[in-house]
Amino acid sequence: MSSRGHVVLQPAYFTSSIYVKALRDDITTLVHTFHERYQQDNTKPFALFKTLWNGQGWKWMHFRVFDSRTRETFLSTTIRLFLERMVKTEAPFTRTVALFALYTFFNTQPTSSAPTLYTLSNIPIPVDHYNSLIVLPTALTTAHLAPLQPFASYAIGSLVNASVFHLLPSSELGALNPREVPREIFVEEGLIDSNQPKKKWHTSKRDKVIKARTALDAVGRSLEQASPAPEARRTALRYEEQKGRLLREIGSDATNLREASEGVAQRLREAQEEQGENVQAWAGLARVETALESAGGMLRLHSSG
């Protein structure tokens, strides 16, 4: 008898926008909360940080995933997001809080759990970011930031002496893997990702429905602008009846949509035969026939007509 399967998060989850965006927001919350509390009492900065770290649930982060393959991506992505708040373009206070978070997260990896969990032994960092990190304590000299300086110096010295930093080429060369995070962009159903250009030769069912509705609205406007004679008004009423039928069919299979589209055109042809060629509304018929011909039997928006 086979053993019961286990649900395992795939590594791609931790490089996707779902995880990356949420963690970035959490890091920002940690920074802001620490800043508020630090303004009230800055006598023991790192003790205050540990209180917030535990209180916000960061101490449970290491138990989010246990599969070694996925855990490696989880750890490297999390550390990378701490590092990105430590670059020299960030405010010194933010950089220091991110340093505290990196130091705490890296040094609290479980080493005596059963079963044994995968742990990171080094921290990849571009050489330019490393150089700016090493001199961070020199930026903490103002009266407001001075209480942070000895703790920042200790955290950096501890990590450097343990040789945990793995130096990579300069950040402008994109040596981190993946080059950018998030790598996978999650798009909710029904929304379009504007960053992903569509292939010109592919038309989705949703696009066809939108174009069909647009074409119907265009024909309706043409009929409204036609002569107010009784014949034209009757033609407009017939059109509205057929339009309602077509809209009810939209969203079903292509065969029904094609039949409904042809029904609209056929009703307009019959009305033309009954009332003659001099009714202005027949511009609408020409538009419908052109749309049908160009869309393979289904109404869609067409630039001519």
Side-chain angles (χ1 to χ4, degrees):
M1 182 176 179
S2 60
S3 61
R4 181 175 299 177
H6 297 283
V7 177
V8 176
L9 280 172
Q10 293 300 305
Y13 170 81
F14 291 103
T15 56
S16 74
S17 58
I18 301 175
Y19 179 73
V20 171
K21 182 181 183 303
L23 184 57
R24 281 173 174 164
D25 291 343
D26 289 342
I27 294 173
T28 298
T29 299
L30 177 64
V31 173
H32 289 170
T33 306
F34 182 75
H35 185 262
E36 292 175 357
R37 297 283 299 276
Y38 179 81
Q39 288 181 312
Q40 300 170 9
D41 182 5
N42 61 8
T43 56
K44 297 180 179 180
F46 195 73
L48 171 60
F49 173 82
K50 288 196 298 183
T51 299
L52 294 177
W53 179 270
N54 294 331
Q56 293 184 2
W58 290 92
K59 65 179 181 179
W60 305 114
M61 281 281 288
H62 283 295
F63 302 102
R64 295 193 61 170
V65 58
F66 301 98
D67 175 69
S68 295
R69 175 170 166 266
T70 306
R71 185 172 175 79
E72 179 181 9
T73 304
F74 156 68
L75 293 173
S76 60
T77 302
T78 302
I79 283 179
R80 178 172 177 173
L81 295 181
F82 288 138
L83 285 172
E84 73 177 16
R85 301 303 301 271
M86 295 162 59
V87 297
K88 61 182 180 181
T89 54
E90 294 280 354
F93 188 91
T94 298
R95 297 172 67 191
T96 303
V97 179
L99 170 63
F100 289 171
L102 172 70
Y103 172 82
T104 304
F105 184 77
F106 183 83
N107 285 298
T108 55
Q109 295 181 85
T111 56
S112 59
S113 60
T116 303
L117 295 179
Y118 176 88
T119 59
L120 283 181
S121 58
N122 57 67
I123 299 175
I125 182 173
V127 63
D128 54 324
H129 292 173
Y130 174 80
N131 291 334
S132 66
L133 172 62
I134 294 299
V135 297
L136 172 60
T138 63
L140 306 174
T141 57
T142 66
H144 176 64
L145 300 176
L148 298 171
Q149 188 180 53
F151 299 96
S153 297
Y154 178 84
I156 293 172
S158 175
L159 294 171
V160 171
N161 292 335
S163 302
V164 301
F165 289 115
H166 175 64
L167 299 186
L168 300 176
S170 179
S171 58
E172 63 186 14
L173 299 178
L176 289 170
N177 183 29
R179 184 184 181 96
E180 300 288 344
V181 289
R183 178 171 57 186
E184 299 83 6
I185 306 298
F186 172 75
V187 180
E188 293 185 20
E189 185 177 358
L191 298 180
I192 299 176
D193 183 6
S194 59
N195 295 322
Q196 299 295 327
K198 293 184 178 180
K199 297 180 180 179
K200 295 182 179 180
W201 59 85
H202 175 71
T203 303
S204 67
K205 182 177 180 180
R206 180 176 181 274
D207 291 335
K208 291 179 180 178
V209 168
I210 292 174
K211 291 178 179 179
R213 290 179 179 273
T214 305
L216 287 170
D217 291 338
V219 174
R221 287 192 297 271
S222 297
L223 292 175
E224 291 173 359
Q225 296 169 1
S227 169
E231 294 84 358
R233 288 198 297 271
R234 285 195 295 271
T235 300
L237 289 174
R238 289 183 180 179
Y239 166 76
E240 289 299 329
E241 292 175 358
Q242 295 302 314
K243 176 181 176 180
R245 176 178 171 231
L246 175 58
L247 290 176
R248 288 191 297 272
E249 296 294 344
I250 286 178
S252 60
D253 59 47
T255 301
N256 290 337
L257 182 57
R258 187 176 294 106
E259 291 176 355
S261 302
E262 178 58 32
V264 172
Q266 182 60 33
R267 287 295 186 183
L268 290 176
R269 293 190 194 102
E270 293 174 359
Q272 182 184 31
E273 293 173 358
E274 295 174 2
Q275 300 168 25
E277 299 290 340
N278 59 349
V279 180
Q280 297 179 17
W282 307 137
L285 175 58
R287 184 187 296 272
V288 171
E289 290 180 329
T290 301
L292 286 172
E293 180 180 355
S294 64
M298 289 184 286
L299 282 176
R300 55 175 291 180
L301 181 62
H302 195 276
S303 58
S304 63

